[in-house]
C-alpha cells in the first residue's frame, strides 16, 4: 500500500478540498493521523500566508511559525521545521493560487475554537518582526472572513495585539 493510499489520497483529492500544498506537508507528517496532518499543514500554510504578506518572510517570523507549530501542533521540532519550510516555499511560489483553497480547507476541518486560535497565532507571527504592519493586518482580516469568523471575532483578537499594530503605533501624539 502506498503512502498516498494510506493517507486517503486518490484521484478524488480535488473533490475533497485537498491542495498540493496540504498534500506535500501531509506526506512529511505521514506518521500522524491523516486529518490531524491536514490540519497542521493548512494551519502552517496560513501562518506563512501572513508572514509573506509583505512579500518577504523574516527569520523572526520563521521562528515564530516554528514555535507555534510545535506548541499548537504538538509535533517535534524537526517536523515543525518541515511544515514551516514547506509552507514558506509554497506560499511564496503559489500564494496567489492556493491562498483561498488552503484557507477554505482549513475552514472546513477546523472548529470555531481552532479558528480563533489560528487568528491569535496569525497576529503572533505578524508581530514577530517589529509589530503588525498594515499589510499583515489586512491579510489577517481577509483570512478571518475566509474561515468564517465574524468582524467582532477579529476585533476581539486584534485588540489583544493593539500595542503591536503599526497603524496605532504610528499615530501622532496628542498635545
Amino acid at each position: 500500500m502506498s503512502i498516498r493510499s494510506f493517507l486517503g489520497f486518490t484521484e478524488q483529492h480535488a473533490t475533497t478540498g485537498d491542495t498540493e500544498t496540504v498534500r506535500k506537508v501531509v506526506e512529511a507528517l505521514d506518521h500522524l493521523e491523516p486529518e490531524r496532518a491536514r490540519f497542521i499543514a493548512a494551519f502552517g500554510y496560513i501562518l506563512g500566508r501572513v508572514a509573506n504578506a509583505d512579500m518577504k518572510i523574516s527569520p523572526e517570523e520563521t521562528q515564530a511559525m516554528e514555535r507555534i507549530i510545535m506548541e499548537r501542533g504538538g509535533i517535534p521540532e524537526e517536523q515543525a521545521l518541515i511544515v514551516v519550510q514547506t509552507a514558506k516555499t509554497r506560499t511564496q511560489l503559489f500564494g496567489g493560487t492556493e491562498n483561498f483553497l488552503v484557507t477554505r480547507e482549513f475552514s472546513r476541518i477546523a472548529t470555531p475554537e481552532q479558528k480563533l486560535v489560528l487568528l491569535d497565532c496569525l497576529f503572533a507571527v505578524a508581530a514577530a518582526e517589529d509589530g503588525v504592519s498594515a499589510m499583515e493586518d489586512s491579510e489577517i482580516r481577509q483570512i478571518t472572513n475566509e474561515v468564517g469568523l465574524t468582524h467582532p471575532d477579529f476585533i476581539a483578537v486584534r485588540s489583544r495585539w493593539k500595542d503591536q499594530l503599526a497603524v496605532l503605533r504610528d499615530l501622532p501624539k496628542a498635545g
Side-chain angles (χ1 to χ4, degrees):
M1 171 183 272
S2 75
I3 190 69
R4 289 182 145 319
S5 297
F6 175 74
L7 293 174
F9 294 116
T10 64
E11 292 305 312
Q12 296 174 322
H13 70 268
T15 62
T16 64
D18 290 329
T19 67
E20 183 64 23
T21 298
V22 175
R23 285 193 304 279
K24 286 182 79 58
V25 179
V26 168
E27 289 170 3
L29 302 173
D30 65 355
H31 79 285
L32 296 176
E33 188 255 299
E35 283 302 311
R36 183 164 175 247
R38 280 187 190 97
F39 178 87
I40 292 170
F43 192 94
Y45 180 90
I46 298 169
L47 293 177
R49 181 176 163 182
V50 168
N52 194 46
D54 59 0
M55 305 306 283
K56 65 177 179 54
I57 301 174
S58 73
E60 294 86 1
E61 291 167 325
T62 299
Q63 290 171 352
M65 291 170 61
E66 291 166 355
R67 179 185 45 76
I68 289 167
I69 292 295
M70 284 186 299
E71 291 172 2
R72 299 294 182 169
I75 60 174
E77 182 178 14
E78 59 275 0
Q79 289 176 337
L81 295 174
I82 292 168
V83 170
V84 170
Q85 187 56 50
T86 303
K88 285 173 42 178
T89 301
R90 300 296 296 190
T91 301
Q92 291 170 324
L93 293 176
F94 305 107
T97 57
E98 294 214 351
N99 284 352
F100 178 74
L101 296 173
V102 174
T103 306
R104 181 180 62 187
E105 173 69 3
F106 180 83
S107 181
R108 185 186 70 77
I109 62 178
T111 66
E113 293 79 22
Q114 291 169 324
K115 293 174 185 180
L116 289 170
V117 167
L118 170 70
L119 186 55
D120 191 59
C121 291
L122 294 175
F123 278 104
V125 168
E129 182 189 35
D130 196 32
V132 180
S133 73
M135 287 185 290
E136 291 165 331
D137 189 51
S138 177
E139 189 71 19
I140 295 169
R141 185 182 306 258
Q142 178 67 35
I143 292 166
T144 300
N145 293 332
E146 291 174 11
V147 299
L149 291 173
T150 65
H151 185 69
D153 291 332
F154 173 77
I155 296 301
V157 174
R158 185 180 188 241
S159 68
R160 294 193 298 259
W161 294 93
K162 67 180 181 283
D163 294 339
Q164 295 293 317
L165 298 173
V167 69
L168 297 178
R169 289 184 3 205
D170 296 339
L171 289 175
K173 303 292 185 225

